[in-house]
């Protein structure tokens, strides 16, 4: 009997926060590296970022436990659109992103891709903030997602 392939890392973040950030995602096919939502996984938090080249949105969500390593994953345009459509039906409260290997990531059972260096460097545009500011931003983006 073969052993099931278990994830080496699993992170969770609110669906509403993800969908709020997705509003800034590019829809232009010519800008392939902007077609989707970037997930930047750091030791302290999950950072969700999307831009169309003019508007950029970044949201941070803290981990329940620290993560070893830094990872970047692109949630492609098609999956983002699918999640936006499900929101009206019955989308989960939180999204679960799992790493099985360097090249295999799943958002529930949908395959997503490890990020490349083409991810826009949001750190040059959006400064780091303290925990109180980050909590305010989380509340703001969550509210924006519910209104949109």
């Amino acid at each position: 009997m073969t052993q099931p392939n278990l994830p080496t890392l699993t992170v969770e973040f609110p669906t509403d926060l993800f969908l709020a950030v997705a509003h800034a995602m590019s829809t232009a096919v010519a800008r392939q590296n902007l077609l989707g939502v970037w997930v930047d996984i750091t030791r302290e938090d999950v950072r969700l970022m999307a831009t169309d080249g003019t508007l950029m949105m970044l949201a941070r969500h803290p981990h329940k436990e620290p993560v070893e390593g830094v990872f970047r994953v692109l949630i492609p345009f098609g999956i983002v659109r699918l999640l936006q459509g499900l929101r009206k039906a019955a989308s989960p409260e939180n999204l679960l992103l799992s790493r099985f290997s360097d090249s295999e990531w799943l958002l529930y059972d949908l395959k997503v891709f490890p990020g490349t260096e083409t991810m826009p460097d949001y750190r040059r545009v959006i400064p780091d903030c303290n925990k109180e500011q980050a909590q305010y931003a989380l509340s703001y983006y969550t509210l924006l997602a519910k209104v949109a």
Side-chain angles (χ1 to χ4, degrees):
M1 179 184 250
T2 60
Q3 292 291 331
N5 191 10
L6 298 175
T8 58
L9 171 69
T10 300
V11 293
E12 192 175 0
F13 45 89
T15 303
D16 285 344
L17 190 62
F18 177 83
L19 294 174
V21 170
H23 284 289
M25 175 181 66
S26 176
T27 57
V29 177
R31 306 190 83 173
Q32 291 295 319
N33 65 323
L34 305 181
L35 278 174
V37 174
W38 285 94
V39 180
D40 204 4
I41 302 165
T42 67
R43 179 172 168 73
E44 305 84 27
D45 57 16
V46 177
R47 298 172 185 193
L48 306 169
M49 193 278 302
T51 183
D52 62 3
T54 304
L55 173 68
M56 178 181 281
M57 290 182 77
L58 171 73
R60 294 178 175 98
H61 182 70
H63 295 300
K64 293 178 182 171
E65 297 176 18
V67 169
E68 293 300 322
V70 174
F71 305 96
R72 290 181 171 162
V73 179
L74 175 64
I75 309 297
F77 178 81
I79 293 176
V80 175
R81 286 293 190 225
L82 175 69
L83 290 169
Q84 288 172 329
L86 288 176
R87 186 178 111 196
K88 295 182 176 116
S91 65
E93 184 177 327
N94 290 314
L95 295 175
L96 198 62
L97 181 63
S98 302
R99 176 181 185 251
F100 291 88
S101 69
D102 287 342
S103 62
E104 186 178 2
W105 289 79
L106 295 178
L107 184 69
Y108 286 103
D109 60 347
L110 302 169
K111 186 164 186 159
V112 294
F113 308 97
T116 65
E117 294 308 312
T118 58
M119 175 183 179
D121 189 4
Y122 60 83
R123 291 170 292 242
R124 293 177 46 202
V125 180
I126 302 173
D128 276 339
C129 59
N130 62 35
K131 291 189 184 232
E132 290 78 26
Q133 291 168 321
Q135 187 59 42
Y136 172 78
L138 174 65
S139 301
Y140 174 77
Y141 286 131
T142 304
L143 178 64
L144 179 64
K146 289 180 180 174
V147 173

